[in-house]
Amino acid sequence: MTYLVWVQYCKQNSSFPPTHLPVRYMMARTMEPLAKKIFKGVLVVELVGVFGAYFLFNKMNTSQDFRQTMSKKFPFILEVYYKSIEQSGMYGVRQQDQEKWLNSKN
């Protein structure tokens, strides 16, 4: 018996919840709020991730000093940034950064 059949049965009969049905069919109704909460939580986490990635990319795209900080703390993220802008057709940012950082050490 599927959930929809169970709901139709409950609408037609006055005994709610039906006592002769196994407990597993009655649990489907109580799991819906939990599933909705889990879905909303996953959606919020994904939205935070998307906005966080946008903020990080925008900050790296506008600040060479921030890229230098990222190269010291999280070089793998900076590498992803360089590869993504090179894929979009913007070349030379990596070389400009390296030249500036080498000149600032001297």
Side-chain angles (χ1 to χ4, degrees), residues 4-56:
L4 293 175
V5 173
W6 180 70
V7 170
Q8 288 174 346
Y9 174 83
C10 292
K11 287 180 181 177
Q12 292 171 356
N13 297 308
S14 61
S15 62
F16 186 81
T19 55
H20 66 280
L21 288 177
V23 175
R24 66 180 178 190
Y25 294 115
M26 293 176 20
M27 285 181 60
R29 187 174 182 95
T30 61
M31 292 298 286
E32 285 181 10
L34 178 62
K36 286 182 181 178
K37 287 181 182 178
I38 290 172
F39 177 75
K40 287 180 183 177
V42 168
L43 187 63
V44 167
V45 168
E46 286 184 7
L47 286 174
V48 167
V50 166
F51 283 115
Y54 172 76
F55 172 77
L56 184 64

